[in-house]
Amino acid sequence: MVHVNYFLFLLFTPSNLSFFLLFTTFSVFCSAILVGIFSSRKIAYLLGAIGSSLGLALSFFILITGNTLSYSLWNITQSSFAKIQISWFNAYFLLISCAVWVGICTYSLKYDDDDNDDDPDVDRSYTGEDREKYGKALSPLLLLTILSMILILVSGDAILFLIGWESMTIASFFMILEGKGVERKEVINAAFLFLAFGEASSVIIMLAFSGIFSSIHSLDFLSVSPSSSSYSLLSSTAAGATLASGILASWVFVSALVGFGLKMGIAPFHMSEWLPIAHSSAPSNASALLSSTLTLMGVYGLIDIVTRLGSLQLWWGWIALGIGGISAMLGALHASASEHSKGLPAYSTIENNGLIIVAIGAYILATYYGLSLLAELALIAVLYHSFSHSISKGSMFAVMGWVSKLRRSFDFNKQNAPISNYTGGATRLGGLFTVLSLAAVPPLAGFVSEWLILEVLFQSFRYGDIGSQIIGTLVGAVSALAAGIIIVAMTKAYGFGVLLSKWSSTSSSASSRAESMKKEKDRLGGERGENFVSATFLYFIVLVLGVGVAAPSIFFLASKASIPILGTNAYGDFVTGLLGVPANFVILSGKPFGGFSPTFTAIFMLGLLVVPFLISRAGGKWNIRRTSGWFGGGLPPKGDEDSVPRVLYNSFGYSAPIKIMMQFLFRTKENVVRVDSSPDRYLVEVEVLDIFKKIYLVLFGKWFLSLSELVGRKLMPGRLSNYIVYIMAALIFVMLYVFATTIA
Amino acid sequence: MLRKFVEQIVGASPISKAIQLSAVFKIAGEHDDDGRDNKEEILAIWADIENNKTILSLVPSVEELGRKPETLLLCQSSLSFLPLLIKSLYSTPGSQIDLDAHGLAEGYGIFTFLYGPVTFGVPEAGGFKFVTYGERIVKVAPTINFKRRGIEQSIVGMKPDEALLLVERSAGNFSASYSTCFATAVEDSLRIETPEAAKWIRAVAIELERIYNHLHAFAREAEAATQSVAANQVHALKERVLRLNAKYFGHRFLFGFNEIGGVKCDLSSREDREELFSSVREIAKEFSEIVDYFLSSRIFLDRLQNTARLSKEDALSLGAVGPVARGSGIDWDDRQSYPIEPYSDIFVPLETSNDGDAMGRMMVRIREVASSTVAIEELLDRLPAGKTKKGAGEKNAEFQSTLSFSATTTTSSLTQSDFSLCRIESPSGDLIQIVKLDKRGRIKSLHIRPPSFANWLSFAKSLEGNVFTDFQFSFESFGLSYADSDR
Amino acid sequence: MKLWVLRGLKKGMLTTKFPKEQPTQDELSRKSFPPTPSKVSDWERGRLICPTGAIQYDSQLAKSEIDLGKCIYCQRCSSAGFEFPETRDSTSALKATFATNGDSAYESDERLLFEKYSKLWKSFKKSFHVLMIDVGSCNACNFEVLNLSNPYYDFNRLGIFFTNSPKHADALIVVGALNKAMVDVLKRTYDNIPSPKLVISVGACSISGGIFQNTESFASPVRKVIPVDVVVPGCPPTPIQILQGLLIATGRIKTTESFVRAPTDIEETSEQEEEEKNEGSSSFKGVSG
């Protein structure tokens, strides 16, 4: 029996408000894509921002009121196809994503600016080759990717999920092709690598789903809300609660970890994360989308599947801890060594996703040993960190992209343009808050979430087995080390990426400087639209600060989101009042273990800033001494624009010690070559390799090359578009097959 | 004149070519006999040298010379720094010279790190330009001449004993070597019969100077490795040597003990000599104990071994001298290879090391402290009896000689106007001074080849490929002094 | 395993008793004592002998004095009847004093000068960080300043420390004859030291140019470029003498000598500099005949 509900949303009741909002969001995004294709990209982005705000409202509505949304567009007897379902769990993820998308769409209003594409006033010779203009396809592709992600988050069944997953991958692929790498060939290579990893991810996720399907014979297993089935993992006796069990569960776990891990960019698949962003130098709004929310989809899927796999195995936890720890460490080290203004944040994403996997591993172990409180904390830590990482990373890519655009280079070592001349304090302030959050400085979002994860790992001694205790503690140490090393990377990103301005600006005359500033402003389309960028940065600052300072409220949301998994609301276990701090303001990490109050820490820190300021004001006159910098008694390095990088301490030098010390990991090659034509000139090359890239190239490169040659010659001597059609056709075929078997 | 000289060399045999080329160094910077300044001519020659046109093509190869150390050192050490020497000689005061003879490097991430002139790592006014991509030193260009005082120019026309005050203050810590070298060259030129005893006492002073400089270098190395106890103990030993200097020679840095034709101090009493020697022996003994401690400290050894390696070939071609050359396995020591009087009579062991790294140089210094002690024993034991200065014993002789020096000594011997050259093994190596007097017995010209100057290029070469934290160890192991090279 | 600490303890204490007691003969050399005029002194002959013009004599004006800021302690004037007794009161070697920087008020009233510095003394009493700058020395002064930290003098016990950066320094120790190449460097270094700051001019070279005052590259005495607070004569002054200068600067010991005049006219243009140099203006008069 097929039962289709079409017009129910017209009944405007509070219970249907959520459906109305969802429908409106979808419609707005669809129209935004159409506008992007056929009309102005600015309006498209504006619509995208509106749509994201609607999504934000929707998720808030669900989380606050508790009215979950479950709606089958097309019911089939046993299973349902095209089932829309928003539980508290995926409402939380929708909240995170929409919060980031609002920022990204607002940012794109200026970043992807088409207004003066053919402005005759702009000096072409001055602006040079690498002008940051992207193709017209960027806005529809970006919005399509967002729409696909919404689809993923609201889908209640596997088919809808996979459709969203696949269209997200393909839209992102084309978005990466828009990038402006050094060479076109590199862009194409990076995009295809992304596609290859994306398709591998789809296939492996399908494997996981097939495992679940063969266990429960249903496809609408995603994002189950507690209203439909009341279960708790800790007392998971209800058969319907578990998606799979026994050897099948292990199969599902491994394929889910690999499938979603491929999207999250965890080791050893971290190439899928940094390579498209760094090598193709993808548009910054696209990078932000890829790095903050696309990886979030991986986190969402992984938690959704893994936490409901019934009896959790011990070795799953160990594997998750191991992979997570390695990812965190690798990401942190490579981020410190990266010279690419977007490669560095991409590596930082690897580090953060590694920490998330570590926390998931801790959750598995805690559940295995029946430590309900620790499991709750671990899950909330995962959710919290997903939130703080997504907003910080969205902000970081926005800032880095904007500064790179001003500098006309993604290279930290090319210090061509002083950013302070062209942009206001919002960029610098936004950059500061972002890197502080990612470097886990209290009271910002990143600190609270990383504190939670480390607190979970510090409680490894509670595990009932010496092996788990050792592994947990070891991974805790590695994670803490990674969190420390990332500070180096963040300092570098802010110092060389945002703050540093060129010295020679002092040497040139004031009039020529003003002239060059005017030219630069013309290049960027003048003042018009700069407000959007500043507004984005301020928006992200508010988010990063708010998620940190208002930790109890985020705790409230996260604990609500984890009810479908845990079966209980963990809020009361962790949020309390203590030592004079009022109730609901202290976060505990165990009973008894650590605890602190982000809100009151923030107030205290504010006091530390304000009180000395007031005291110094009370003292009367400011006593400010200004001298030139100290350069060992010599003059500050000066030079014309070409020679400035040669006399300035640069980003490469900042991280060279790490590259030299960690030679075994980076495979650093330091070549000093005498240029043969002139005896007095030497060429120095320092090369850093990602060893996994090398392994891939050596192990799989040749094999894949011969295979793909075979496929290319024998099977697909066609064009790229044919290949995409082929993928879609294959997907539809699989879906039809599954559909047919379900009906049968 | 110089061109003629160069043309003569072209047809000569390798060995004589080498010896004659070393004479180019003597002539460089000379005034012609008619008093005309041949600065332009020299600068033109220097330009030729820089362009590899004339002189460098004449440099005999190592094979040609048959690896005879004496000819090699005479030739190579003179030639490799000759352009720089001339450049330094004619540089205007206040201008700096970058010794970037090896060129700078380029590449992604390369930048120049400026170090100095005000640093405490190098407690003197001098700078470095490190070409680096962070941590690793690709190239180094020392910047000298921050404290060029122009002693060679300003003493022209002075009476030799007035000039002595300036010359011994060229490098305060090599004062005995400088003053002895100058005094010996002048005495040679004036045909003054210097009393035997004076020459032997000068040698004692030089050896004491060597000991305290080597102790200083060791202590600075220990400081760099933050081995505070060792550093302070060796600094204390150094202080004791300085106090011995003050007690027996009147000045902690041996200023003013030398004069033309003799020395002003008196070691004629046997008791004094025994006391001096027993003090020196005690210091050397305590130092060897500290060294034993030091050789068992892995931390210290790790920092020195394989740091700033200088191969023997590089040391030869760049003209390294002194402990630097000996640390790279070149057996050259002026005390044996080019001995002035007391050294030709006594035995001084020649200490070398084949390591070529900071450790090798430090071991040479450590062993030289012992060998200097042995030398001091022999010098004091066999110190010839008799007066220590020309005309000593008369009342107010010092004053007489100071005022009426030229009057009393203007003899037929002064009519000759040849160069006189003296080489002294200073604590940092081979110090060469070439003095020319005019007919009135005043300085017509002085040329100094400071030991530090010869070692800058070796230092820059050896530092390539090291990391920044090795800099202090390299610098102290070379014993370089800006005062010395800038003079 | 070697016990460095035990070895250190075994050595006992080497540190000088100064400033609680007067320095011993060991701590000073024969050439640490300034020339003393006596009845047999022949000033005219001394003026001719003196290589740096430290002995100033004008028979018409009946002016006869020894400028310690110029004296390089070479003892050549002993032949002109100036005395350098082998044993004497060691305090006579300690000649470090305040320079008045040409302020006539300070010259006429010592109390004013004391008042000026006594404000600083409080803040420098426990911790006094000095930066040494070499502006063209022969390296002997550098050695002696570095020797302050060795166990024999150990100035850390008095709360005085070396520092590597002017940003951390309280005082600047200037050694050497100011080279033309170092004038700007010296100014920059001085500017980088936060106030309140002191400048201690160590050695005859930095006070007057010493033996190098007639060389081509000598720019000017240090006090003509930056204001000098304390002068320590000597060539080189022994560590004890430098230590005395540092202690005077921090108000730990009071000078027994009267405050002497050291006129400063920090020059604006290079023309003035030339004139001043040609005049060879005298400064710092320690001992008058």
Side-chain angles (χ1 to χ4, degrees):
Chain A
M1 195 183 88
V2 177
H3 175 84
V4 184
N5 299 295
Y6 285 115
F7 303 106
L8 209 74
F9 66 90
L10 291 176
L11 303 170
F12 201 81
T13 60
S15 61
N16 283 330
L17 177 63
S18 50
F19 187 76
F20 174 74
L21 278 172
L22 181 63
F23 186 81
T24 326
T25 310
F26 261 107
S27 324
V28 168
F29 268 106
C30 288
S31 53
I33 291 167
L34 289 175
V35 168
I37 293 170
F38 297 110
S39 180
S40 155
R41 59 178 89 176
K42 224 165 194 178
I43 298 172
Y45 284 127
L46 199 62
L47 284 171
I50 293 168
S52 309
S53 315
L54 286 170
L56 202 61
L58 168 68
S59 48
F60 256 121
F61 178 73
I62 289 172
L63 277 170
I64 304 289
T65 61
N67 292 329
T68 58
L69 181 81
S70 178
Y71 211 83
S72 293
L73 292 179
W74 196 356
N75 275 352
I76 308 168
T77 42
Q78 283 161 357
S79 187
S80 55
F81 178 56
K83 182 181 170 192
I84 300 277
Q85 178 148 342
I86 310 182
S87 73
W88 295 332
F89 178 68
N90 41 3
Y92 180 78
F93 279 90
L94 192 63
L95 175 75
I96 301 175
S97 309
C98 286
V100 177
W101 293 333
V102 170
I104 289 176
C105 287
T106 318
Y107 172 71
S108 304
L109 281 170
K110 174 66 189 166
Y111 182 79
D112 185 19
D113 190 355
D114 61 344
D115 278 0
N116 63 340
D117 241 350
D118 303 308
D119 193 341
D121 293 341
V122 177
D123 183 0
R124 299 284 168 192
S125 63
Y126 179 75
T127 51
E129 291 173 349
D130 43 2
R131 297 174 71 221
E132 290 283 318
K133 295 283 181 234
Y134 296 102
K136 210 166 159 43
L138 181 57
S139 65
L141 284 170
L142 186 96
L143 293 164
L144 181 61
T145 314
I146 294 179
L147 189 64
S148 320
M149 288 181 189
I150 297 178
L151 196 63
I152 291 170
L153 290 174
V154 302
S155 66
D157 69 311
I159 303 294
L160 211 55
F161 183 92
L162 282 174
I163 290 172
W165 196 261
E166 198 57 30
S167 66
M168 173 182 81
T169 305
I170 290 166
S172 311
F173 162 73
F174 283 111
M175 209 158 61
I176 291 165
L177 271 181
E178 289 290 313
K180 306 234 178 249
V182 188
E183 284 176 27
R184 189 67 196 153
K185 202 178 144 198
E186 269 199 342
V187 176
I188 293 172
N189 279 348
F192 272 100
L193 190 113
F194 176 82
L195 191 66
F197 273 109
E199 292 307 325
S201 154
S202 299
V203 169
I204 296 167
I205 289 170
M206 279 184 214
L207 291 179
F209 285 179
S210 69
I212 299 170
F213 183 73
S214 59
S215 170
I216 60 169
H217 302 289
S218 167
L219 278 173
D220 53 345
F221 49 82
L222 283 159
S223 56
V224 180
S225 62
S227 55
S228 62
S229 60
S230 60
Y231 52 80
S232 162
L233 272 168
L234 301 172
S235 57
S236 64
T237 45
T242 55
L243 295 178
S245 57
I247 190 88
L248 208 57
S250 298
W251 162 261
V252 172
F253 171 77
V254 170
S255 45
L257 186 65
V258 173
F260 291 111
L262 274 166
K263 269 284 178 286
M264 289 168 68
I266 55 165
F269 316 116
H270 55 278
M271 270 176 78
S272 68
E273 169 62 27
W274 63 262
L275 203 120
I277 293 173
H279 266 217
S280 84
S281 304
S284 291
N285 48 359
S287 308
L289 197 67
L290 296 180
S291 206
S292 64
T293 48
L294 192 127
T295 62
L296 187 71
M297 296 304 122
V299 179
Y300 162 73
L302 189 62
I303 302 173
D304 199 20
I305 300 295
V306 168
T307 52
R308 293 191 286 125
L309 276 180
S311 54
L312 301 175
Q313 302 288 317
L314 183 60
W315 61 272
W316 300 357
W318 290 2
I319 283 186
L321 281 177
I323 286 181
I326 291 169
S327 298
M329 200 66 201
L330 264 184
L333 283 172
H334 276 287
S336 316
S338 177
E339 301 299 326
H340 194 284
S341 70
K342 289 196 308 196
L344 189 149
Y347 276 117
S348 151
T349 301
I350 297 168
E351 186 248 343
N352 282 294
N353 282 335
L355 288 180
I356 288 175
I357 298 279
V358 164
I360 290 175
Y363 167 79
I364 293 170
L365 283 185
T367 314
Y368 178 82
Y369 290 114
L371 304 163
S372 58
L373 205 64
L374 193 56
E376 283 168 14
L377 188 71
L379 192 63
I380 287 172
V382 171
L383 296 178
Y384 209 127
H385 197 66
S386 303
F387 203 153
S388 65
H389 167 241
S390 292
I391 53 174
S392 311
K393 199 45 62 66
S395 170
M396 181 149 197
F397 272 107
V399 172
M400 284 303 175
W402 184 241
V403 176
S404 302
K405 184 170 176 141
L406 295 179
R407 276 186 176 169
R408 285 172 279 158
S409 170
F410 289 123
D411 192 338
F412 281 140
N413 291 301
K414 266 196 183 165
Q415 291 136 2
N416 274 344
I419 74 151
S420 54
N421 283 354
Y422 309 123
T423 180
T427 315
R428 274 168 285 163
L429 202 64
L432 181 67
F433 273 83
T434 305
V435 299
L436 288 183
S437 171
L438 285 168
V441 172
L444 301 178
F447 174 76
V448 182
S449 60
E450 280 194 26
W451 174 77
L452 280 173
I453 290 178
L454 291 178
E455 287 284 300
V456 169
L457 293 168
F458 290 154
Q459 296 183 57
S460 299
F461 65 87
R462 295 192 200 272
Y463 299 148
D465 180 1
I466 186 79
S468 299
Q469 285 171 355
I470 289 174
I471 289 175
T473 313
L474 207 63
V475 172
V478 168
S479 306
L481 189 59
I485 292 173
I486 206 73
I487 294 172
V488 175
M490 289 302 142
T491 315
K492 176 174 163 175
Y494 191 62
F496 294 101
V498 180
L499 274 189
L500 192 73
S501 58
K502 64 177 178 182
W503 293 96
S504 61
S505 61
T506 53
S507 64
S508 61
S509 69
S511 60
S512 73
R513 201 157 70 235
E515 199 177 317
S516 71
M517 270 174 70
K518 193 176 166 295
K519 274 184 182 175
E520 194 69 5
K521 276 209 165 127
D522 285 345
R523 182 175 79 82
L524 297 164
E527 303 279 4
R528 283 170 294 161
E530 183 146 308
N531 293 343
F532 290 122
V533 179
S534 303
T536 313
F537 297 149
L538 293 176
Y539 168 73
F540 276 124
I541 290 173
V542 169
L543 269 186
V544 165
L545 199 60
V547 170
V549 173
S553 57
I554 304 296
F555 228 83
F556 171 77
L557 295 176
S559 53
K560 191 129 192 196
S562 60
I563 289 174
I565 295 165
L566 300 169
T568 56
N569 193 336
Y571 182 77
D573 291 341
F574 298 113
V575 182
T576 174
L578 202 70
L579 298 173
V581 179
N584 291 333
F585 277 105
V586 171
I587 295 174
L588 298 176
S589 62
K591 278 179 183 173
F593 207 67
F596 94 123
S597 168
T599 319
F600 279 81
T601 309
I603 293 169
F604 179 67
M605 287 173 78
L606 196 69
L608 279 185
L609 284 175
V610 170
V611 170
F613 178 78
L614 289 177
I615 290 172
S616 71
R617 288 304 281 174
K621 228 178 71 183
W622 285 81
N623 196 3
I624 298 175
R625 189 180 65 101
R626 286 183 197 281
T627 56
S628 55
W630 179 242
F631 297 89
L635 281 170
K638 260 192 215 162
D640 51 8
E641 289 197 15
D642 296 332
S643 72
V644 161
R646 289 200 48 182
V647 293
L648 268 189
Y649 183 53
N650 57 21
S651 153
F652 197 84
Y654 180 78
S655 50
I658 291 181
K659 288 172 197 162
I660 292 170
M661 278 188 288
M662 305 297 285
Q663 201 151 13
F664 65 95
L665 178 73
F666 290 122
R667 300 275 155 221
T668 315
K669 282 181 189 164
E670 300 172 75
N671 302 320
V672 178
V673 190
R674 184 184 276 262
V675 178
D676 42 9
S677 57
S678 90
D680 281 356
R681 276 186 63 238
Y682 292 82
L683 192 67
V684 178
E685 300 164 335
V686 181
E687 210 181 324
V688 174
L689 278 181
D690 188 336
I691 45 171
F692 286 93
K693 185 182 174 188
K694 199 175 178 182
I695 290 168
Y696 280 125
L697 289 179
V698 170
L699 282 186
F700 302 121
K702 283 180 187 171
W703 191 55
F704 271 135
L705 204 67
S706 53
L707 185 74
S708 60
E709 224 166 62
L710 190 76
V711 172
R713 276 210 202 113
K714 301 279 156 101
L715 299 176
M716 287 183 54
R719 294 172 54 202
L720 174 69
S721 52
N722 297 353
Y723 174 58
I724 306 296
V725 168
Y726 162 75
I727 292 172
M728 294 303 286
L731 183 74
I732 291 166
F733 174 76
V734 170
M735 278 157 46
L736 284 177
Y737 172 75
V738 171
F739 184 51
T741 49
T742 320
I743 291 171
Chain B
M1 178 183 166
L2 201 61
R3 280 203 181 280
K4 223 185 290 167
F5 200 90
V6 170
E7 281 157 17
Q8 280 173 9
I9 298 169
V10 176
S13 71
I15 300 276
S16 70
K17 207 193 267 181
I19 293 164
Q20 289 187 48
L21 270 172
S22 73
V24 173
F25 158 68
K26 282 193 190 177
I27 301 162
E30 255 335 294
H31 292 261
D32 278 354
D33 284 340
D34 54 359
R36 193 167 50 84
D37 196 343
N38 61 352
K39 186 173 168 181
E40 273 86 46
E41 193 184 354
I42 286 160
L43 287 178
I45 296 268
W46 172 56
D48 278 357
I49 292 168
E50 282 219 321
N51 295 333
N52 293 356
K53 277 177 192 159
T54 323
I55 292 187
L56 282 195
S57 60
L58 305 176
V59 178
S61 69
V62 176
E63 288 72 29
E64 267 187 298
L65 288 163
R67 291 188 175 272
K68 288 192 177 171
E70 183 166 2
T71 49
L72 269 180
L73 251 110
L74 263 174
C75 156
Q76 305 253 12
S77 71
S78 307
L79 263 186
S80 58
F81 63 82
L82 183 60
L84 291 167
L85 190 78
I86 299 171
K87 202 175 173 181
S88 132
L89 213 59
Y90 282 102
S91 65
T92 51
S95 69
Q96 290 135 35
I97 300 178
D98 295 345
L99 291 182
D100 50 356
H102 288 278
L104 304 176
E106 288 173 6
Y108 180 81
I110 288 278
F111 63 98
T112 310
F113 175 70
L114 306 169
Y115 187 64
V118 184
T119 66
F120 208 68
V122 180
E124 274 195 86
F128 292 95
K129 286 180 180 167
F130 293 104
V131 180
T132 174
Y133 44 85
E135 197 65 15
R136 186 81 64 197
I137 298 168
V138 180
K139 299 278 160 198
V140 181
T143 313
I144 60 169
N145 256 29
F146 275 109
K147 46 197 265 188
R148 174 137 175 78
R149 284 144 289 160
I151 285 166
E152 284 143 313
Q153 286 96 325
S154 49
I155 67 166
V156 170
M158 280 189 179
K159 282 181 284 185
D161 64 337
E162 278 176 10
L164 189 64
L165 284 173
L166 271 158
V167 171
E168 71 186 4
R169 283 166 175 81
S170 298
N173 52 332
F174 303 152
S175 159
S177 307
Y178 265 83
S179 61
T180 305
C181 195
F182 181 73
T184 310
V186 170
E187 286 156 11
D188 197 23
S189 196
L190 293 173
R191 308 265 194 275
I192 296 174
E193 292 293 324
T194 315
E196 286 277 293
K199 289 182 176 176
W200 285 61
I201 288 171
R202 282 171 181 173
V204 173
I206 288 171
E207 294 309 319
L208 280 170
E209 184 173 87
R210 193 184 320 284
I211 289 175
Y212 86 72
N213 271 292
H214 285 359
L215 291 177
H216 179 75
F218 184 92
R220 292 283 293 175
E221 293 265 17
E223 261 175 29
T226 61
Q227 302 269 324
S228 301
V229 182
N232 277 321
Q233 296 211 349
V234 180
H235 271 310
L237 293 181
K238 183 187 82 179
E239 175 70 20
R240 277 161 70 183
V241 183
L242 291 176
R243 287 182 180 189
L244 284 181
N245 289 348
K247 190 171 178 188
Y248 294 99
F249 295 87
H251 194 278
R252 286 161 63 87
F253 291 88
L254 302 164
F255 288 177
F257 88 94
N258 249 322
E259 59 180 8
I260 308 296
V263 293
K264 281 187 199 162
C265 57
D266 182 20
L267 286 176
S268 55
S269 139
R270 183 103 212 151
E271 290 75 43
D272 274 0
R273 298 211 295 268
E274 272 167 13
E275 203 185 319
L276 171 59
F277 174 66
S278 65
S279 308
V280 173
R281 191 172 48 195
E282 204 180 312
I283 288 164
K285 186 168 154 282
E286 282 187 31
F287 180 61
S288 72
E289 282 169 19
I290 293 171
V291 167
D292 284 346
Y293 272 57
F294 146 74
L295 286 177
S296 67
S297 164
R298 216 39 255 172
I299 303 166
F300 200 166
L301 294 183
D302 271 350
R303 302 306 302 267
L304 293 181
Q305 281 171 343
N306 267 327
T307 298
R309 195 174 273 281
L310 181 71
S311 70
K312 189 173 179 179
E313 286 70 33
D314 282 340
L316 277 173
S317 68
L318 296 172
V321 298
V324 178
R326 293 195 286 279
S328 290
I330 300 173
D331 44 353
W332 178 275
D333 186 328
D334 281 346
R335 291 176 290 175
Q336 279 205 350
S337 321
Y338 202 97
I340 57 168
E341 200 195 310
Y343 291 116
S344 48
D345 291 352
I346 64 165
F347 171 72
V348 185
L350 200 158
E351 310 287 358
T352 60
S353 161
N354 289 323
D355 295 350
D357 53 5
M359 183 70 194
R361 290 185 283 277
M362 198 41 65
M363 286 314 291
V364 167
R365 282 176 203 276
I366 288 166
R367 289 201 289 262
E368 278 184 15
V369 170
S371 72
S372 289
T373 313
V374 174
I376 288 173
E377 181 179 24
E378 192 166 359
L379 286 165
L380 290 175
D381 197 39
R382 292 171 48 199
L383 190 72
K387 52 189 183 174
T388 57
K389 68 179 103 174
K390 198 174 162 67
E394 299 168 33
K395 194 158 175 75
N396 253 351
E398 190 184 339
F399 168 60
Q400 288 294 337
S401 71
T402 306
L403 274 192
S404 54
F405 189 81
S406 53
T408 54
T409 53
T410 308
T411 56
S412 55
S413 66
L414 271 179
T415 52
Q416 54 89 31
S417 62
D418 205 355
F419 302 104
S420 60
L421 179 145
C422 182
R423 297 177 80 158
I424 294 271
E425 186 69 20
S426 79
S428 268
D430 181 21
L431 167 71
I432 307 175
Q433 288 185 11
I434 299 157
V435 182
K436 191 178 178 184
L437 299 181
D438 66 7
K439 286 170 184 146
R440 291 180 302 147
R442 291 174 183 251
I443 308 284
K444 193 176 178 194
S445 75
L446 165 72
H447 297 301
I448 304 174
R449 204 295 308 275
S452 299
F453 201 96
N455 280 342
W456 277 123
L457 295 181
S458 312
F459 175 63
K461 176 78 185 166
S462 77
L463 215 52
E464 288 170 12
N466 283 267
V467 292
F468 276 130
T469 42
D470 289 338
F471 169 79
Q472 191 79 47
F473 297 95
S474 319
F475 187 80
E476 299 301 344
S477 77
F478 270 79
L480 294 165
S481 161
Y482 281 97
D484 182 23
S485 63
D486 291 0
R487 63 208 180 280
Chain C
M1 179 66 196
K2 306 279 184 178
L3 295 167
W4 284 106
V5 178
L6 200 68
R7 203 191 138 74
L9 286 174
K10 229 165 65 185
K11 292 293 291 180
M13 204 164 85
L14 304 169
T15 313
T16 173
K17 294 282 192 297
F18 185 81
K20 279 180 186 158
E21 293 171 17
Q22 291 309 321
T24 61
Q25 285 290 329
D26 276 351
E27 286 154 13
L28 300 162
S29 72
R30 280 209 300 282
K31 289 186 179 165
S32 307
F33 293 95
T36 314
S38 66
K39 281 172 190 165
V40 296
S41 299
D42 184 342
W43 283 88
E44 178 59 29
R45 191 186 276 174
R47 189 180 69 82
L48 287 173
I49 290 172
C50 185
T52 57
I55 296 174
Q56 290 163 356
Y57 178 67
D58 194 328
S59 55
Q60 285 165 353
L61 296 172
K63 174 193 171 194
S64 56
E65 57 188 10
I66 295 172
D67 186 345
L68 275 191
K70 286 184 173 174
C71 180
I72 57 164
Y73 295 69
C74 64
Q75 301 196 353
R76 295 206 169 178
C77 51
S78 64
S79 60
F82 289 88
E83 287 177 352
F84 298 91
E86 292 287 314
T87 55
R88 66 157 86 186
D89 182 14
S90 58
T91 47
S92 62
L94 303 177
K95 289 292 179 191
T97 46
F98 280 101
T100 52
N101 287 332
D103 193 327
S104 55
Y106 293 139
E107 282 166 36
S108 56
D109 192 348
E110 292 169 15
R111 275 180 306 140
L112 275 177
L113 196 58
F114 266 120
E115 268 173 33
K116 175 188 170 190
Y117 285 108
S118 55
K119 283 175 193 161
L120 306 181
W121 288 340
K122 221 183 245 175
S123 54
F124 291 151
K125 194 168 186 182
K126 292 278 165 63
S127 154
F128 189 56
H129 286 252
V130 294
L131 172 77
M132 181 181 74
I133 178 172
D134 170 6
V135 292
S137 80
C138 68
N139 213 6
C141 287
N142 306 40
F143 261 65
E144 292 291 46
V145 173
L146 289 183
N147 279 345
L148 283 172
S149 66
N150 79 19
Y152 279 91
Y153 304 104
D154 187 21
F155 71 165
N156 295 1
R157 77 202 146 98
L158 301 165
I160 309 172
F161 306 92
F162 285 129
T163 178
N164 293 349
S165 163
K167 306 267 186 198
H168 306 154
D170 298 316
L172 190 63
I173 294 184
V174 190
V175 297
L178 182 56
N179 198 298
K180 280 173 184 161
M182 290 298 286
V183 175
D184 288 339
V185 177
L186 178 64
K187 281 180 187 164
R188 274 195 287 273
T189 311
Y190 181 76
D191 285 345
N192 266 289
I193 300 178
S195 298
K197 53 191 163 188
L198 294 175
V199 176
I200 299 154
S201 181
V202 167
C205 294
S206 70
I207 298 168
S208 67
I211 190 78
F212 299 119
Q213 58 188 304
N214 294 322
T215 56
E216 200 187 332
S217 58
F218 175 65
S220 71
V222 168
R223 72 191 141 75
K224 293 194 175 170
V225 177
I226 57 172
V228 169
D229 298 294
V230 173
V231 288
V232 184
C235 185
T238 59
I240 286 288
Q241 288 167 320
I242 300 171
L243 197 57
Q244 185 227 358
L246 288 170
L247 291 173
I248 287 173
T250 50
R252 305 280 280 278
I253 50 178
K254 303 280 182 280
T255 43
T256 50
E257 300 279 331
S258 63
F259 286 94
V260 288
R261 189 159 50 87
T264 305
D265 26 4
I266 294 170
E267 287 154 21
E268 300 299 324
T269 59
S270 57
E271 285 177 39
Q272 276 180 323
E273 185 182 306
E274 290 294 322
E275 287 169 17
E276 291 287 342
K277 199 188 159 193
N278 293 341
E279 283 169 21
S281 64
S282 87
S283 56
F284 190 71
K285 282 138 196 142
V287 181
S288 54

